[in-house]
Amino acid sequence: MRGPAPEERPRPKGRRSSQGIRVDPHAEATHEPRRTAISALVYHEPGVLAKVSGLVSRRQFNIESLTVGSTTNPETARITLVIEEPEPGVRQVEKQLLKLQPVISVRELGSDAVRRELVVLKVHGDEPDKVNAITQMYDGRTLDAGPRTITVEITGDEQKIDDAIDAYRQFGIRELARTGQTALARGDEWTTDAEEERYERMQRTQNQTDVDPDQSYQ
Amino acid sequence: MSEPGSRAQAAAQPTPETEATEATEATEEREPSDEADGADSADAESVAADQSTAAARTTGAAAVVAALESAGVEHVFGVQGGAIMPVYDALYDSDIAHVTMAHEQGAAHAADAYGQVTGRPGVCFATSGPGATNLVTGIADADMDSDPVVALTGQVPTDFVGNDAFQETDTVGVTRPITKANYFADDVDAVGDLVAEAFALAGEGRPGPTLVDLPKDVTTAETEAREAEPPEGTPTPSADAEAVEAAAAALARAEKPLILSGGGVTKGEASEELRRFATAFEIPVVTTMPGIGTFPEDHELSLSWAGMHGTGYANMAISHTDCLLAVGTRFDDRLTGGIETFAPDAEVVHVDIDPAEISKNVHADYPLVGDAGTVLDQLYDALSDGPAEAARAGDRWDAWREQCATWKEEYPLTYDAPDDEPLKPQFVVEALDAITPDDAIVTTGVGQHQMWAAQFWTYTEPRTYVSSHGLGTMGYGLPAAIGAKLAAPDREVVCFDGDGSFLMTMQELSVAVRENLDVTVIVLNNEAIGMVRQWQDAFFDGRRMASEYAWMPDFAKLAEAFGARGFTLTEYDDVADTLEAAVAYDGPSVVDAYIDPAENVYPMVPSGGANDQFALSEDHL
């Protein structure tokens, strides 16, 4: 007895989305990509950046920027990743990062996080007064001014940097260097759990030796 | 980034919890040594005197071997070479048995199979450059299947690193994406601890391959002889109690519950817990291919394994279940087919020790992160005396089990075997199964023969089907048989290989002969890369580009040339006698079985298709 051919078999009713989520046939359950920043506290060892960037690229996550720098603890560094992914992708980035040996702690930053990036750009110096006006308008600084070129720096959130670059276009931008986003959680909130734990541990240690904890932490 | 010297130390730090205290201690420790540097000559003499009475000196290589000994390693697989020579020299004085393989790929596969059979990490050695790169296929294979493997590679001296020195490759860079963790060991004082850590990490939690790259100057340098510090073991994780309750409730209210048992059940030694759970509540079980053997295939609740070439009834059950309890599986696409059509009606309870597997491919409605056996016991307790017990007692799931039994009758695994046809491979697999004990270990290469060995052999114990699943590495079978036999010398080990697969690593036959390993290789010879040919016939209008061999060596003669016993098998009447003679031969034997080249693997779910749309023959494609 041979069972029915494929087209004659009873088919189940439901379906899953392309993200593997079981959905009502009439409901939409596909997550749209969103742009978000993820902060990772990592051991400050050689190759850690290659490990993180390699992981992100080989798993095909859509990365917008990645910055890295040291923290108050010389043994750790903070990596700030800006990615554009649907919700399941964001969760995967977090979980995959946590599997890397040098990664201590990972957290997605909320929309209210304090975010900054920096641009250094060089424009033609034909109209120094106008350039200066734009620089002041964007709270920037002039780093170098010569007869032919003016180099300025602007810091701010991504939108402000985009706007500033647009404003400088009228003078002719010769060269531009832009960092990725770096960020911390706002207010009392800790950016990653490990930092909160470490801070409290340091405070306890310092209290035992009667030294001002905030001073020692620095 | 910090100085290179801190690399091993930083990597050796086990947890963030210890980080602050260690940093403080490090500062304190530095101060006395600074004083010693600045000491006057009298003090310097006393320091020298102290050192002469201090602990015995050893080399980095000896520390590496000592770490392996402490970890209980009995066999290592490898190939000698310039940069790894100091480690081999240290091995000269050790009781660890070294198996010289013909090719480093064989060493990695043998270590992988050794790890699969024993559950403890298999160890392989290779030298720098080509030695290390030859390991890559085997390491990638272990990574895809979460097999515990420790690879130790030689490296050029640290002064030469980065200068394109002779036989230099950035091994750590090359293997980064395919290892659970890898290390460049540039500190002779830390190298023993690093190897101990790599060994522990390979086996714990979700297993996987680790690699330690050993520069030659580090393995020859002197260090203090001491016991390597074994890293702290991680406790067996249990799932969140509330999540377990929720998952149990979902199972209890299901009308058509189904268990999907994956390779994680094998790795977690959770087969007993699975059997208790499934039989107590009488829930049907399908396995993934790596999960073969976790549930006895001769049990009435078993639906065998699901996926592209899994049984029709397993795939029907997956497509129609309304609650899938998936344990230790990563939902590979060879299992799921198209995600949109996978278990479309099912709520998914996903048990996995690796949180990153939760909702990676198939969304988990009830994620349970933890050890497979522990979580199955938690679920068992949550369901006992509860509504699921009521469902079982009230026969609520009877109709579902009957439906599964009907599918078993409708879609049996069959093949035509009239006597006048060329040999059918399925017949050979069944015949060998019949004459070997239940705990015999089957290894395979990759291709059609692998599927027939999985379909037509009845597996009842975990760790008896040793294969290359995720990476699909042709040539895996023979070196795997060598590793499996050394891991379980008292058990029957047979290898089903294809002619194409066998040609890729047949040089390892020399190792089986040299070590006098009683393994039986059955080459299911259809003079082709059969799976490719099957796909060409089905999806490329029969344009058999580069899939058929115009000429094949005589594998029986080849076996004899290597010093093994060779058999040729062409007739149905000779099957039983030939297989018995091959199994009975005390040493490696090769049976070159000429099978029907027209035979293809069915059922088959076309790539990306729905599981219940499997084809039973080419007519359905």
Side-chain angles (χ1 to χ4, degrees):
Chain A
M1 168 181 171
R2 267 229 159 153
E7 62 275 14
E8 295 158 3
R9 292 172 203 151
R11 297 301 317 275
K13 291 190 212 74
R15 68 177 176 98
R16 290 181 185 278
S17 71
S18 59
Q19 290 155 350
I21 300 168
R22 196 173 64 98
V23 293
D24 180 277
H26 304 292
E28 183 52 64
T30 303
H31 292 279
E32 291 306 316
R34 62 187 167 85
R35 203 178 157 86
T36 191
I38 287 180
S39 188
L41 192 71
V42 301
Y43 284 115
H44 201 170
E45 62 184 55
V48 65
L49 185 59
K51 283 178 186 170
V52 169
S53 60
L55 172 93
V56 173
S57 69
R58 75 173 176 267
R59 288 195 178 269
Q60 301 277 300
F61 295 122
N62 193 4
I63 191 165
E64 301 289 319
S65 77
L66 186 155
T67 63
V68 57
S70 56
T71 66
T72 50
N73 178 356
E75 292 178 358
T76 64
R78 182 188 311 285
I79 290 178
T80 310
L81 283 149
V82 178
I83 53 169
E84 189 166 336
E85 283 289 327
E87 173 68 18
V90 175
R91 299 281 85 84
Q92 263 299 305
V93 172
E94 289 179 332
K95 290 189 279 193
Q96 293 291 343
L97 282 173
L98 267 174
K99 283 175 72 170
L100 289 177
Q101 285 292 298
V103 173
I104 300 164
S105 181
V106 176
R107 188 138 177 209
E108 182 187 0
L109 291 164
S111 55
D112 67 336
V114 182
R115 301 152 192 262
R116 282 294 176 271
E117 58 180 275
L118 162 72
V119 66
V120 176
L121 55 80
K122 188 184 288 179
V123 296
H124 292 290
D126 305 332
E127 299 172 286
D129 291 350
K130 278 191 181 178
V131 170
N132 196 35
I134 300 281
T135 306
Q136 293 202 345
M137 198 187 300
Y138 284 98
D139 299 323
R141 281 177 57 199
T142 302
L143 302 176
D144 174 52
R148 284 182 294 281
T149 64
I150 301 169
T151 304
V152 300
E153 68 160 72
I154 310 281
T155 56
D157 62 23
E158 192 181 8
Q159 187 62 47
K160 179 182 168 188
I161 304 281
D162 286 344
D163 292 347
I165 291 170
D166 274 348
Y168 283 108
R169 283 192 205 283
Q170 57 181 303
F171 311 114
I173 301 173
R174 284 172 61 116
E175 285 177 314
L176 176 155
R178 185 172 176 168
T179 68
Q181 204 175 90
T182 189
L184 286 180
R186 187 173 290 275
D188 275 355
E189 196 184 334
W190 286 91
T191 304
T192 68
D193 296 341
E195 288 159 287
E196 180 176 10
E197 287 161 20
R198 175 172 187 268
Y199 183 76
E200 285 172 359
R201 244 187 352 254
M202 295 295 282
Q203 274 198 316
R204 279 199 299 275
T205 313
Q206 297 304 338
N207 283 342
Q208 283 163 8
T209 50
D210 278 329
V211 182
D212 178 47
D214 285 325
Q215 286 293 319
S216 304
Y217 185 64
Q218 302 303 316
Chain B
M1 298 291 130
S2 55
E3 291 300 306
S6 68
R7 185 181 324 204
Q9 290 151 0
Q13 283 172 4
T15 57
E17 280 75 35
T18 58
E19 148 220 345
T21 46
E22 282 180 7
T24 318
E25 283 162 14
T27 315
E28 286 164 5
E29 279 168 14
R30 262 197 299 276
E31 283 162 7
S33 66
D34 288 343
E35 284 165 15
D37 287 345
D40 60 29
S41 58
D43 284 345
E45 278 173 24
S46 74
V47 169
D50 284 350
Q51 280 176 350
S52 67
T53 57
R57 307 294 287 173
T58 187
T59 62
V64 167
V65 173
L68 293 178
E69 286 170 339
S70 306
V73 173
E74 291 171 350
H75 293 94
V76 298
F77 305 88
V79 180
Q80 259 280 24
I84 195 76
M85 274 171 69
V87 183
Y88 271 89
D89 186 63
L91 208 56
Y92 193 89
D93 300 321
S94 170
D95 289 334
I96 295 174
H98 179 266
V99 182
T100 300
M101 301 297 287
H103 187 281
E104 289 87 353
Q105 184 189 347
H109 289 328
D112 178 317
Y114 190 93
Q116 282 198 55
V117 171
T118 62
R120 299 189 311 274
V123 182
C124 55
F125 282 11
T127 195
S128 64
T133 56
N134 281 348
L135 284 181
V136 166
T137 302
I139 295 172
D141 190 291
D143 190 53
M144 287 288 268
D145 289 347
S146 305
D147 294 330
V149 169
V150 177
L152 301 180
T153 48
Q155 184 53 279
V156 300
T158 44
D159 283 355
F160 289 43
V161 169
N163 291 347
D164 300 329
F166 176 66
Q167 291 194 329
E168 185 195 353
T169 298
D170 174 11
T171 305
V172 166
V174 167
T175 58
R176 186 171 291 141
I178 53 167
T179 47
K180 190 173 170 183
N182 65 9
Y183 309 92
F184 180 73
D186 60 357
D187 179 358
V188 66
D189 297 326
V191 71
D193 293 340
L194 212 52
V195 170
E197 181 184 324
F199 194 90
L201 196 60
E204 74 180 23
R206 179 184 184 170
T210 58
L211 180 142
V212 184
D213 201 27
L214 302 161
K216 196 169 184 178
D217 57 327
V218 172
T219 49
T220 52
E222 280 203 347
T223 182
E224 191 179 297
R226 60 177 176 82
E227 284 271 304
E229 284 178 32
E232 283 176 33
T234 44
T236 307
S238 53
D240 177 71
E242 272 183 36
V244 169
E245 289 295 333
L251 270 167
R253 68 172 173 265
E255 298 291 328
K256 297 183 277 188
L258 182 68
I259 297 169
L260 173 65
S261 173
V265 175
T266 310
K267 317 282 177 206
E269 302 286 2
S271 187
E272 285 305 316
E273 288 85 346
L274 173 82
R275 290 165 194 220
R276 178 172 86 134
F277 184 90
T279 52
F281 302 112
E282 297 182 65
I283 300 173
V285 181
V286 302
T287 73
T288 67
M289 211 160 100
I292 282 176
T294 53
F295 194 76
E297 292 182 339
D298 53 2
H299 194 285
E300 62 177 347
L301 286 170
S302 170
L303 300 175
S304 196
W305 55 281
M308 181 175 275
H309 293 296
T311 63
Y313 37 96
N315 283 320
M316 288 300 279
I318 284 208
S319 289
H320 289 266
T321 175
D322 62 355
C323 188
L324 185 67
L325 170 59
V327 189
T329 173
R330 59 187 176 82
F331 293 109
D332 178 85
D333 55 273
R334 281 292 191 272
L335 166 73
T336 62
I339 288 291
E340 293 90 337
T341 51
F342 177 75
D345 279 344
E347 290 198 290
V348 172
V349 179
H350 190 182
V351 180
D352 208 292
I353 202 163
D354 182 356
E357 286 308 328
I358 303 291
S359 299
K360 186 184 82 179
N361 293 338
V362 171
H363 178 76
D365 302 290
Y366 301 94
L368 299 177
V369 177
D371 169 72
T374 309
V375 178
L376 279 169
D377 279 349
Q378 285 180 285
L379 277 171
Y380 179 89
D381 292 341
L383 282 167
S384 296
D385 303 324
E389 180 57 21
R392 189 198 63 80
D395 302 333
R396 185 152 62 87
W397 293 339
D398 280 2
W400 168 237
R401 281 189 297 269
E402 279 161 24
Q403 175 64 72
C404 291
T406 306
W407 284 325
K408 266 189 175 180
E409 286 176 14
E410 285 183 336
Y411 305 109
L413 285 171
T414 54
Y415 60 96
D416 298 326
D419 286 348
D420 55 348
E421 273 203 285
L423 264 183
K424 293 291 184 183
Q426 301 94 330
F427 184 88
V428 178
V429 173
E430 287 182 333
L432 189 55
D433 188 11
I435 62 167
T436 49
D438 281 350
D439 70 349
I441 296 167
V442 174
T443 74
T444 77
V446 165
Q448 289 181 315
H449 66 277
Q450 178 190 25
M451 298 302 145
W452 289 316
Q455 289 175 336
F456 289 90
W457 189 285
T458 304
Y459 298 90
T460 56
E461 295 301 323
R463 304 190 186 280
T464 51
Y465 180 69
V466 177
S467 192
S468 167
H469 305 282
L471 196 66
T473 310
M474 284 176 72
Y476 178 83
L478 176 56
I482 291 169
K485 187 67 188 179
L486 283 160
D490 298 332
R491 286 163 68 183
E492 199 69 56
V493 174
V494 302
C495 166
F496 283 104
D497 227 339
D499 44 325
S501 206
F502 186 62
L503 277 175
M504 290 197 174
T505 52
M506 64 179 183
Q507 68 275 20
E508 304 301 343
L509 207 49
S510 64
V511 181
V513 171
R514 191 191 319 127
E515 299 285 332
N516 192 31
L517 300 177
D518 186 11
V519 295
T520 307
V521 182
I522 314 291
V523 181
L524 297 176
N525 187 348
N526 56 8
E527 299 183 316
I529 301 181
M531 192 61 94
V532 169
R533 185 171 64 186
Q534 178 172 346
W535 282 50
Q536 286 171 332
D537 288 353
F539 309 115
F540 288 84
D541 298 327
R543 291 151 59 92
R544 296 180 171 182
M545 180 69 198
S547 61
E548 293 183 297
Y549 296 108
W551 177 87
M552 265 290 166
D554 180 333
F555 289 125
K557 278 188 185 168
L558 188 128
E560 297 284 345
F562 271 112
R565 275 300 305 275
F567 301 87
T568 302
L569 181 58
T570 55
E571 304 293 327
Y572 274 103
D573 290 344
D574 299 334
V575 169
D577 287 348
T578 306
L579 293 181
E580 271 170 24
V583 169
Y585 178 67
D586 186 20
S589 54
V590 176
V591 178
D592 187 5
Y594 284 81
I595 59 162
D596 184 356
E599 191 64 24
N600 279 335
V601 182
Y602 288 100
M604 177 184 192
V605 179
S607 186
N611 284 57
D612 63 350
Q613 299 294 286
F614 53 86
L616 291 165
S617 68
E618 41 266 52
D619 298 340
H620 287 159
L621 288 169

